[in-house]
Amino acid sequence: MKRQLILEDGTVFTGDAYGDLNQKEGEIVFNTGMTGYQEILSDPSYCGQIVTMTYPLIGNYGINRDDFESIDPSVFGFVVKEMCEAPSNFRHEETLDEFLKQKEIPAISGIDTRKLTKIIRKHGTMRAVLTAAGDEHNDKPIFSQGMTDQVSRVSTKNPYVVPGRGHRVVLVDFGMKHGILRDLTKRNCHVTVVPYDYTAKQILALKPEGIMLTNGPGDPKDVPVAIDMIKDIMPHVPVFGICLGHQLISLAAGADTEKMRFGHRGSNHPVKDLTIGKTHLTSQNHGYAVTRASLEGTDLELTHIAINDDSVEGVKHTTYPTFCVQYHPESSPGPEDTSYLFDQFMTNIENAKRLNKEAL
Ligand SMILES: NC(=O)CC[C@H](N)C(=O)O
């Protein structure tokens, strides 16, 4: 069965239909990872987006039960050059197509993803629709402005606890990748996961020793409730933010964010940690970034920069024990070079606990 991918600029790609057969519109983006499609498909930060994989063969190791980053994927569509129908891997339990059908994600295969990626690089991310081929009603689709409520769609509705014998951490879920939780439980933390709209008062009532702000979909400016909450928690407890969490911390501290032309999505983005003078390979998925010039005059200090385009990849607060990065130290998928940041968070928590004890 044939299917079309129609871009906002009028470009039409015709290929083979996979996954769900419904029509779906979203923001078209590309990811350059050679592997990791299962983690990418289940990363809630892709809510509302149609993801193109630039690597030409996708699905060759199937889908397994271990590599999910969320239970219910929220990506709107998937675009590949070649969809592997006969995966081979000892962990594989179903094919990528079976998974896409089950989770109602439409996909297209057999199109020139290199050409598509070049268009996105040149014109920037844009709206696109996946639709049945040859349906004349769809020749000129009407594109929406996109969504603004993605975080409320993917955040947990109710708080829950993942018990541990170590530090008490409250994890504010803006669309959490499970890898973040795994990195905290690996360090024995007692984690309470709370919805994105929890107030500072509700969070502080849980007596956290550290607060973690997760990744999440969409524009950080669409979540003003979190910006207010962050302003109020920073003076009290060590805070660590990842991706959307980093953007929200920056907004709360008076800096600004902007939409990038086509963003960073892949598993091999080099980032320099200016505090230790080392460059690491990082996993990334973001379409917005903190505006570098906006850091001036705030209490934020630039700590990480992207080697490819000099954009802001991390900041820390000059007064409070708050720090954050734009990339994914939890990897999943991608290199684990920067998991030391979770250790840094543990150290900040220990230091704050010691200071609190001394003050008694
Ligand atoms: N992975 C994320 O948290 C992404 C943050 C934000 N939605 C962006 O695209 O920039």
Side-chain angles (χ1 to χ4, degrees):
M1 191 175 173
K2 289 286 171 196
R3 166 169 287 172
Q4 284 180 332
L5 171 73
I6 307 176
L7 308 186
E8 205 177 3
D9 72 354
T11 314
V12 180
F13 291 89
T14 304
D16 300 311
Y18 280 90
D20 194 66
L21 296 181
N22 276 326
Q23 175 168 317
K24 200 88 181 183
E25 189 214 315
E27 182 185 44
I28 185 105
V29 297
F30 64 87
N31 186 303
T32 57
M34 293 169 76
T35 58
Y37 54 84
Q38 180 170 338
E39 293 92 326
I40 291 163
L41 281 166
S42 56
D43 175 351
S45 298
Y46 285 110
C47 177
Q49 294 176 323
I50 298 174
V51 180
T52 307
M53 299 300 292
T54 60
Y55 188 70
L57 177 64
I58 296 294
N60 50 322
Y61 53 90
I63 296 283
N64 65 68
R65 70 175 61 194
D66 302 320
D67 291 345
F68 289 112
E69 285 301 309
S70 68
I71 292 168
D72 268 320
S74 44
V75 66
F76 273 23
F78 201 47
V79 180
V80 299
K81 168 80 174 70
E82 183 181 343
M83 175 85 68
C84 176
E85 293 184 7
S88 171
N89 184 271
F90 70 100
R91 293 196 302 160
H92 131 251
E93 292 181 32
E94 58 185 338
T95 67
L96 174 55
D97 186 42
E98 282 163 352
F99 168 76
L100 293 167
K101 284 194 166 70
Q102 186 198 330
K103 295 295 179 183
E104 297 179 358
I105 303 166
I108 186 170
S109 170
I111 69 159
D112 186 347
T113 48
R114 186 153 52 175
K115 179 175 170 195
L116 171 60
T117 302
K118 281 184 169 171
I119 294 173
I120 302 171
R121 280 181 64 101
K122 190 155 173 233
H123 298 282
T125 46
M126 58 182 126
R127 309 295 303 164
V129 67
L130 275 170
T131 184
D135 183 346
E136 72 233 27
H137 298 297
N138 291 322
D139 276 356
K140 288 214 174 355
I142 297 168
F143 293 97
S144 73
Q145 291 294 311
M147 306 145 65
T148 55
D149 64 342
Q150 296 99 309
V151 168
S152 66
R153 288 180 185 225
V154 296
S155 171
T156 181
K157 299 288 172 269
N158 298 301
Y160 58 94
V161 174
V162 183
R165 297 163 70 98
H167 305 308
R168 271 196 317 277
V169 173
V170 168
L171 200 163
V172 187
D173 177 12
F174 297 111
M176 173 186 67
K177 280 171 67 192
H178 283 175
I180 297 179
L181 195 53
R182 281 197 297 274
D183 262 301
L184 292 175
T185 52
K186 215 189 279 171
R187 289 163 179 81
N188 300 321
C189 292
H190 178 86
V191 186
T192 307
V193 184
V194 302
Y196 79 100
D197 55 356
Y198 250 39
T199 61
K201 203 165 156 207
Q202 283 173 301
I203 292 172
L204 294 175
L206 296 167
K207 305 226 173 313
E209 292 162 333
I211 298 172
M212 174 105 230
L213 308 173
T214 73
N215 62 294
D219 185 340
K221 290 177 185 164
D222 290 337
V223 206
V225 64
I227 300 171
D228 291 340
M229 173 274 285
I230 295 167
K231 282 182 193 159
D232 293 340
I233 57 165
M234 281 196 298
H236 302 289
V237 187
V239 179
F240 177 25
I242 291 177
C243 214
L244 188 76
H246 151 83
Q247 297 166 354
L248 291 167
I249 287 170
S250 303
L251 289 170
D256 200 9
T257 54
E258 61 195 346
K259 185 155 186 164
M260 303 165 91
R261 187 142 57 100
F262 52 86
H264 296 165
R265 294 174 186 85
S267 305
N268 61 349
H269 284 257
V271 168
K272 185 162 188 178
D273 182 339
L274 302 169
T275 64
I276 54 174
K278 278 193 177 162
T279 296
H280 299 105
L281 283 183
T282 68
S283 177
Q284 301 207 9
N285 163 21
H286 64 109
Y288 294 83
V290 174
T291 315
R292 196 157 165 173
S294 75
L295 294 175
E296 199 138 321
T298 69
D299 290 325
L300 295 177
E301 185 184 309
L302 181 69
T303 55
H304 297 75
I305 49 160
I307 296 291
N308 289 343
D309 62 8
D310 264 357
S311 58
V312 176
E313 286 289 340
V315 295
K316 73 172 188 202
H317 202 281
T318 50
T319 315
Y320 307 132
T322 290
F323 75 108
C324 50
V325 286
Q326 181 65 78
Y327 58 87
H328 293 277
E330 78 284 8
S331 63
S332 312
E336 295 175 3
D337 297 26
T338 54
S339 64
Y340 69 92
L341 293 181
F342 285 96
D343 299 326
Q344 197 172 310
F345 181 43
M346 297 301 112
T347 305
N348 285 358
I349 292 175
E350 278 145 30
N351 289 343
K353 280 168 92 166
R354 208 179 39 245
L355 285 175
N356 284 343
K357 238 193 224 148
E358 279 166 17
L360 287 178

